[in-house]
Amino acid sequence: YCTSGSNRLFESEGRIALLQNIPNPANDITEISFEVIESGLTSLFVVDIQGNKIKTLHSGNLKPGQYSIMVNTGDLPSGRSPG
């Protein structure tokens, strides 16, 4: 079970609540779908390969349900390796 205020990305049964972005790879704009499994503060952000937060996509209270957001990726660095 989850105690109020704790971090949680997936249900205890292991179902992850973040879905694949479309299109992938992203080209200027991509849609990210996710599911909230309990009411509360929900934060969704992009991190680089070192785990540094580089863009907040959503931060606020949400109720249980499925959501999708359009993300402008034009200001994000390319995911391609140099060389």
Side-chain angles (χ1 to χ4, degrees):
Y1 73 96
C2 181
T3 351
S4 180
S6 65
N7 293 326
R8 184 165 143 184
L9 176 62
F10 54 88
E11 293 185 79
S12 57
E13 294 81 29
R15 184 169 58 103
I16 295 179
L18 182 63
L19 306 175
Q20 179 66 52
N21 67 301
I22 301 169
N24 184 11
N27 187 16
D28 294 326
I29 294 181
T30 191
E31 180 179 15
I32 297 179
S33 297
F34 60 100
E35 182 179 359
V36 175
I37 55 178
E38 57 189 53
S39 294
L41 179 61
T42 302
S43 297
L44 183 63
F45 47 88
V46 176
V47 296
D48 64 16
I49 198 161
Q50 284 93 23
N52 301 308
K53 187 186 310 184
I54 57 174
K55 185 172 188 169
T56 299
L57 305 178
H58 176 83
S59 183
N61 287 311
L62 292 176
K63 295 180 180 179
Q66 294 183 352
Y67 297 86
S68 64
I69 57 173
M70 299 303 289
V71 179
N72 180 349
T73 60
D75 60 341
L76 297 174
S78 169
R80 297 182 187 166
S81 300

